[in-house]
Amino acid sequence: MKDMMIGVDLAKNVFQVHGALRTGKVQFRKRLTRTQFSVFMAQQEPCLVIFEACGSAHYWAREMEAVGHEVKLIAPQYVSPFVKRQKNDAADAEAIVIAARQSEMRFVEPKTVEQQSRAALFRGRERLVHQRTADLNALRALLYEHGHVFPVGMHHLNRITALVEDETVDLHALIREECLDLLTQIAEKTARVIERTTKLKTLAAESDRARRLQTMPGVGPLTAVAVEAFGPDMEQFKTGRDFAAWLGLVPKQHSSGGKERLGRMTKAGQADIRRLLIIGAMSRLGWLGQRTILEGSWLSRMLERKPKMLVAIALANKMARQIWAMLTKNEDYRDPALVGSA
């Protein structure tokens, strides 16, 4: 059974299971319900089980490891080239096994319960921020229809509140009532955003890895928690460049015939960490952050000849590579400019 590989096409209720030897010889094909799948896999000798990396894959990976199986996850885009002709559950399960047999295949590391819990808290905060922004935009649009124009941004909320609460303002009673209701919803979501932000900061303060990450300029508690929640073990990347590429902070290539053609940033990786690193990089390029940039350093030379947004992407790429080095070497941040001058 050490040579057995079982590919599973996950679903909500019915799973397709494909068992084959590493040589490719098919041993069985089964269609099982959730309950039948758990019982069937518990009866199997320890073997290699492969899932596509989807919503429930990390849960099932932990369940399979609990009964003694070795588990690997594959990104769906690496499986699709191995699907033969017609796409169905059986063909998908077979393609998963064929893809896993490739010696150069890259796998996704299963997440722990702690990682998924932090990710849920982080995504919950992001969802509330988006909902609050939608409410604020609805409020601005409603006031715009009645002759009151306000700029974009939460920092103008006090001006909007003062206008709506003014009983002498030229707004119909029903419009004013609707605006007050939107202000109440915005206040409720703001309180919940603050609550979740406090929880994330507490988690960042309790983690030694998060504390280490925050020694880097441009990395705050939210970014540190995001790296812990969404990032895999850094040991699986050979170099920091691999981690930056995993985040999508590299140019898109369309090269042929020995001629390199580099395009825009791929955005093909982990969006949450990438976005926060770019925001952190932009904070270092603002008027206040530029005061800490040493004259003649790489960053100052880039700012002299490149647009600020392009420099921010390049700096985010460098920050990703530095994060990889800090976590693999268990060291705090050391400014390369200061180290070089020393």
Side-chain angles (χ1 to χ4, degrees), residues 71-104:
V71 181
K72 290 186 177 181
L73 307 183
I74 305 180
Q77 60 266 33
Y78 292 157
V79 175
S80 57
F82 298 95
V83 178
K84 298 175 182 176
R85 286 186 177 270
Q86 304 297 331
K87 183 189 183 304
N88 52 57
D89 292 346
D92 288 345
E94 182 181 6
I96 291 171
V97 174
I98 297 173
R101 290 207 306 265
Q102 311 308 306
S103 58
E104 70 280 4

Side-chain angles (χ1 to χ4, degrees), residues 86-137:
Q86 304 297 331
K87 183 189 183 304
N88 52 57
D89 292 346
D92 288 345
E94 182 181 6
I96 291 171
V97 174
I98 297 173
R101 290 207 306 265
Q102 311 308 306
S103 58
E104 70 280 4
M105 181 55 63
R106 296 178 180 177
F107 297 97
V108 178
E109 184 176 349
K111 293 184 182 298
T112 64
V113 177
E114 288 74 17
Q115 281 183 302
Q116 287 190 292
S117 301
R118 296 185 180 211
L121 180 60
F122 184 90
R123 290 271 170 81
R125 179 187 178 278
E126 293 295 302
R127 184 179 63 255
L128 286 170
V129 170
H130 289 312
Q131 292 173 355
R132 183 181 63 178
T133 302
D135 290 341
L136 181 59
N137 288 338

Side-chain angles (χ1 to χ4, degrees), residues 132 135 178 180-191:
R132 183 181 63 178
D135 290 341
E178 184 65 23
L180 288 172
D181 183 65
L182 283 170
L183 285 172
T184 302
Q185 294 181 49
I186 292 171
E188 291 174 353
K189 289 182 174 64
T190 299

Side-chain angles (χ1 to χ4, degrees), residues 43 93 186 263 270 307:
Q43 295 172 347
I186 292 171
Q270 216 293 320

Side-chain angles (χ1 to χ4, degrees), residues 121-122 124-125 128-129 132 187-203 222:
L121 180 60
F122 184 90
R125 179 187 178 278
L128 286 170
V129 170
R132 183 181 63 178
E188 291 174 353
K189 289 182 174 64
T190 299
R192 295 167 68 184
V193 168
I194 293 173
E195 178 187 358
R196 281 162 173 76
T197 302
T198 303
K199 287 183 180 179
L200 289 170
K201 289 182 177 179
T202 302
L203 290 173
L222 296 184

Side-chain angles (χ1 to χ4, degrees), residues 3-278:
D3 294 330
M4 175 67 77
M5 302 174 68
I6 300 178
V8 184
D9 184 51
L10 294 172
K12 293 185 177 70
N13 299 311
V14 180
F15 300 167
Q16 184 69 40
V17 181
H18 182 92
L21 300 178
R22 294 182 185 270
T23 58
K25 185 178 180 180
V26 177
Q27 300 298 298
F28 56 80
R29 294 186 177 94
K30 291 183 179 292
R31 186 178 175 88
L32 305 172
T33 64
R34 292 176 64 91
T35 305
Q36 291 172 340
F37 174 72
S38 299
V39 174
F40 175 78
M41 295 305 296
Q43 295 172 347
Q44 301 301 307
E45 294 292 329
C47 60
L48 176 61
V49 182
I50 312 103
F51 302 110
E52 279 187 332
C54 62
S56 62
H58 299 282
Y59 164 78
W60 283 112
R62 295 193 295 268
E63 291 293 306
M64 294 300 100
E65 289 176 346
V67 295
H69 297 299
E70 179 187 356
V71 181
K72 290 186 177 181
L73 307 183
I74 305 180
Q77 60 266 33
Y78 292 157
V79 175
S80 57
F82 298 95
V83 178
K84 298 175 182 176
R85 286 186 177 270
Q86 304 297 331
K87 183 189 183 304
N88 52 57
D89 292 346
D92 288 345
E94 182 181 6
I96 291 171
V97 174
I98 297 173
R101 290 207 306 265
Q102 311 308 306
S103 58
E104 70 280 4
M105 181 55 63
R106 296 178 180 177
F107 297 97
V108 178
E109 184 176 349
K111 293 184 182 298
T112 64
V113 177
E114 288 74 17
Q115 281 183 302
Q116 287 190 292
S117 301
R118 296 185 180 211
L121 180 60
F122 184 90
R123 290 271 170 81
R125 179 187 178 278
E126 293 295 302
R127 184 179 63 255
L128 286 170
V129 170
H130 289 312
Q131 292 173 355
R132 183 181 63 178
T133 302
D135 290 341
L136 181 59
N137 288 338
L139 178 60
R140 289 176 51 248
L142 189 58
L143 292 172
Y144 175 67
E145 291 178 357
H146 294 272
H148 299 280
V149 181
F150 290 93
V152 176
M154 280 293 297
H155 50 284
H156 297 290
L157 185 61
N158 290 336
R159 289 175 53 198
I160 298 176
T161 304
L163 174 74
V164 174
E165 292 180 348
D166 185 0
E167 297 181 357
T168 62
V169 71
D170 57 339
L171 289 175
H172 191 278
L174 291 177
I175 298 299
R176 185 166 175 271
E177 182 180 341
E178 184 65 23
C179 291
L180 288 172
D181 183 65
L182 283 170
L183 285 172
T184 302
Q185 294 181 49
I186 292 171
E188 291 174 353
K189 289 182 174 64
T190 299
R192 295 167 68 184
V193 168
I194 293 173
E195 178 187 358
R196 281 162 173 76
T197 302
T198 303
K199 287 183 180 179
L200 289 170
K201 289 182 177 179
T202 302
L203 290 173
E206 295 172 351
S207 170
D208 185 63
R209 278 165 50 100
R211 179 207 59 78
R212 177 174 289 112
L213 290 173
Q214 291 179 74
T215 61
M216 176 187 294
V219 175
L222 296 184
T223 306
V225 171
V227 172
E228 284 196 323
F230 300 109
D233 184 4
M234 293 297 162
E235 297 294 338
Q236 81 172 56
F237 300 108
K238 293 182 179 179
T239 64
R241 293 176 184 271
D242 292 341
F243 177 56
W246 182 79
L247 293 175
L249 285 168
V250 292
K252 187 175 182 179
Q253 290 197 43
H254 191 73
S255 305
S256 180
K259 184 174 182 179
E260 291 189 358
R261 296 181 179 88
L262 301 181
R264 297 181 177 181
M265 186 177 63
T266 63
K267 295 185 180 179
Q270 216 293 320
D272 301 275
I273 302 175
R274 181 180 63 242
R275 177 176 57 84
L276 290 171
L277 287 180
I278 293 174

